[in-house]
Amino acid sequence: MNTIINKDKKIAIIGCGYWGTIITKTLIELGLKNIFIYDSSAKNLHALKKKYNTVKIIKNYSKILFDKDLTNLFFATPPSMNYSLVKQAIINNKIIFLEKPGVNKSSDLNKLIKLNKKFNSRVMFGYVYCFSDHIKYIKKIISKNVLGKLLYINFQRQNLGPIRNDVDVTYDLTSHDLSIILFLFGKLPKKISHIKYPILKKNLCDISNLHMKLDNTFIDINNNWINPTKIRKINIVGSKKMLSFDEMDLVNPIRIYNKYAKYPKIHEFNKKFFEAKALIYLGKNFSPKIKSSQSLLNEIKYFLKLKKKDRPITDFLFSLKILKFLETI
Ligand SMILES: NC(=O)c1ccc[n+]([C@@H]2O[C@H](COP(=O)([O-])OP(=O)(O)OC[C@H]3O[C@@H](n4cnc5c(N)ncnc54)[C@H](O)[C@@H]3O)[C@@H](O)[C@H]2O)c1
């Protein structure tokens, strides 16, 4: 997909909070000249305008919908608000970028899918890790069998906030980790057990520990939005090597450890000892130099270059699989 982005394209950002501001910044960096912003909160709308004064404020959502030249819409609004906003955008044939997890019910997503069969709008979901050069590298390493058999994967995504009040920590954070699993393996694991704690508010969990199995690989996802420090880690334990991805390490985010643990085969261990002890192999580690650019920049470029016939990687089906999984845990 090497098309050049039309910098004069008219674009609107709906939702000018934390993530809408970052999307706006990225669009400006990409050189887009006609950026319009809309938010139901006048305070947030004006705060974004103050930050980037070249953007233009639109005070009425229907103005966006009825402007035929305003083709591409970015939704960075809370999932509970998205169904009705996006429904109208589909009917008006907009090209839609909808931040993860999209909506908060798979039944609503199914209704949007059905509606879109009639209107055939382009819809892509904002699962930013599918556009990360580091995650793409990990996918390559796994497909080349560098790590050997995958025995265990652990995802840790923790921080203090943002704390949502319309969805729990699984819709907000676990959805990211599930998108990485879906991107790496083309399928989602089966749940073994799930422990979640509602701490700040009844019926909305703040901490989630999800235990799963994908074929022969055990997978845990630990999410927490009331953690004092920011942790973004993936550890992969293979039968030949181990890999760690620490997003917070800006110098060497990926390390490949030439390490493994295994029990010797029965004929290999010293018969004098009754019990077979696990052997631990410690070899050299290395940190690959990966040419990477910002994942959000990659993602937005991909979206802006989508053609009518293209099916985005993070399409309706991708998002539906994640939402349905979240509803079963
Ligand atoms: N990909 C990522 O890494 C990432 C990171 C953060 C957030 N997000 C996603 O972005 C979305 C927004 O998150 P956020 O952190 O920016 O939230 P936020 O609360 O900071 O911002 C949401 C904005 O939407 C506005 N809004 C609410 N209802 C609206 C409506 N009906 N019409 C117009 N505007 C409305 C609010 O006033 C607010 O300004 C969520 O879906 C979240 O999951 C993604």
Side-chain angles (χ1 to χ4, degrees):
M1 213 195 266
N2 269 331
T3 343
I4 294 163
I5 297 168
N6 170 9
K7 308 251 165 99
D8 295 316
K9 222 188 253 271
K10 273 174 103 176
I11 284 175
I13 292 128
I14 296 106
C16 307
Y18 164 64
W19 199 243
T21 301
I22 295 179
I23 290 177
T24 308
K25 176 176 172 273
T26 310
L27 286 166
I28 291 171
E29 278 168 13
L30 274 171
L32 273 296
K33 295 184 199 121
N34 284 310
I35 302 174
F36 294 80
I37 56 170
Y38 167 74
D39 199 297
S40 54
S41 147
K43 187 174 152 255
N44 290 1
L45 195 58
H46 287 103
L48 186 55
K49 170 77 183 164
K50 206 170 163 196
K51 211 165 186 170
Y52 304 110
N53 69 0
T54 54
V55 301
K56 298 162 199 99
I57 284 180
I58 294 194
K59 287 191 178 152
N60 188 335
Y61 185 48
S62 40
K63 273 202 173 157
I64 296 179
L65 295 174
F66 301 142
D67 184 341
K68 292 254 176 293
D69 297 328
L70 225 167
T71 48
N72 293 60
L73 309 191
F74 286 81
F75 288 90
T77 30
S80 56
M81 293 291 149
N82 286 338
Y83 174 71
S84 62
L85 288 168
V86 174
K87 184 179 164 188
Q88 296 174 71
I90 288 178
I91 293 170
N92 286 281
N93 229 257
K94 300 295 180 184
I95 304 171
I96 298 161
F97 178 98
L98 176 54
E99 255 314 319
K100 62 88 206 161
V103 287
N104 55 356
K105 282 189 270 172
S106 69
S107 55
D108 281 350
L109 195 63
N110 271 321
K111 282 190 228 159
L112 292 178
I113 293 173
K114 209 168 157 197
L115 183 73
N116 201 41
K117 288 214 168 107
K118 190 168 160 203
F119 290 94
N120 208 13
S121 293
R122 255 168 285 174
V123 183
M124 166 171 158
F125 289 78
Y127 277 105
V128 73
Y129 285 91
C130 299
F131 302 88
S132 149
D133 294 314
H134 295 111
I135 296 295
K136 282 185 191 160
Y137 176 84
I138 295 174
K139 190 175 162 104
K140 199 171 77 189
I141 286 288
I142 291 174
S143 69
K144 285 186 174 168
N145 202 29
V146 173
L147 307 177
K149 269 188 238 153
L150 301 184
L151 306 174
Y152 176 65
I153 307 178
N154 178 271
F155 292 82
Q156 291 182 55
R157 186 176 299 279
Q158 314 191 6
N159 197 9
L160 184 58
I163 296 165
R164 313 284 174 191
N165 58 18
D166 64 333
V167 290
D168 70 9
V169 75
T170 65
Y171 280 71
D172 195 43
L173 301 183
T174 314
S175 58
H176 272 307
D177 299 313
L178 292 172
S179 78
I180 296 173
I181 297 173
L182 192 52
F183 178 73
L184 292 179
F185 302 106
K187 56 186 177 180
L188 290 173
K190 299 231 171 349
K191 181 186 89 170
I192 298 173
S193 67
H194 184 210
I195 301 166
K196 53 184 178 176
Y197 306 130
I199 292 178
L200 300 178
K201 203 176 174 185
K202 262 192 199 164
N203 303 328
L204 211 58
C205 73
D206 307 291
I207 297 177
S208 158
N209 290 304
L210 181 57
H211 311 287
M212 302 167 293
K213 197 170 182 194
L214 181 78
D215 300 329
N216 292 317
T217 313
F218 289 98
I219 303 180
D220 287 341
I221 300 181
N222 312 126
N223 298 133
N224 181 346
W225 62 27
I226 49 170
N227 202 57
T229 55
K230 186 167 182 175
I231 306 171
R232 297 269 183 271
K233 273 187 188 162
I234 304 174
N235 283 333
I236 307 180
V237 178
S239 59
K240 292 198 262 177
K241 288 187 172 57
M242 299 183 183
L243 179 148
S244 78
F245 172 38
D246 183 352
E247 251 189 285
M248 306 314 292
D249 182 337
L250 299 180
V251 184
N252 291 314
I254 293 191
R255 287 172 199 267
I256 296 178
Y257 297 88
N258 199 359
K259 292 181 179 179
Y260 61 79
K262 69 166 189 179
Y263 282 100
K265 292 202 177 96
I266 211 80
H267 62 270
E268 284 170 0
F269 73 89
N270 189 334
K271 294 211 173 62
K272 273 194 242 163
F273 295 101
F274 196 64
E275 266 181 302
K277 275 191 182 167
L279 297 174
I280 289 181
Y281 176 80
L282 299 176
K284 277 193 181 155
N285 310 326
F286 94 105
S287 301
K289 293 284 162 247
I290 298 158
K291 206 169 156 254
S292 66
S293 28
Q294 258 183 58
S295 308
L296 182 63
L297 193 83
N298 295 342
E299 186 184 35
I300 291 181
K301 275 190 193 164
Y302 176 92
F303 170 68
L304 293 176
K305 288 178 182 179
L306 278 177
K307 299 220 179 69
K308 188 87 191 155
K309 61 174 181 18
D310 294 334
R311 192 176 150 190
I313 308 171
T314 51
D315 63 356
F316 268 124
L317 195 62
F318 188 95
S319 196
L320 186 64
K321 282 181 184 165
I322 293 173
L323 272 188
K324 280 194 159 173
F325 185 91
L326 289 171
E327 281 170 356
T328 65
I329 59 174

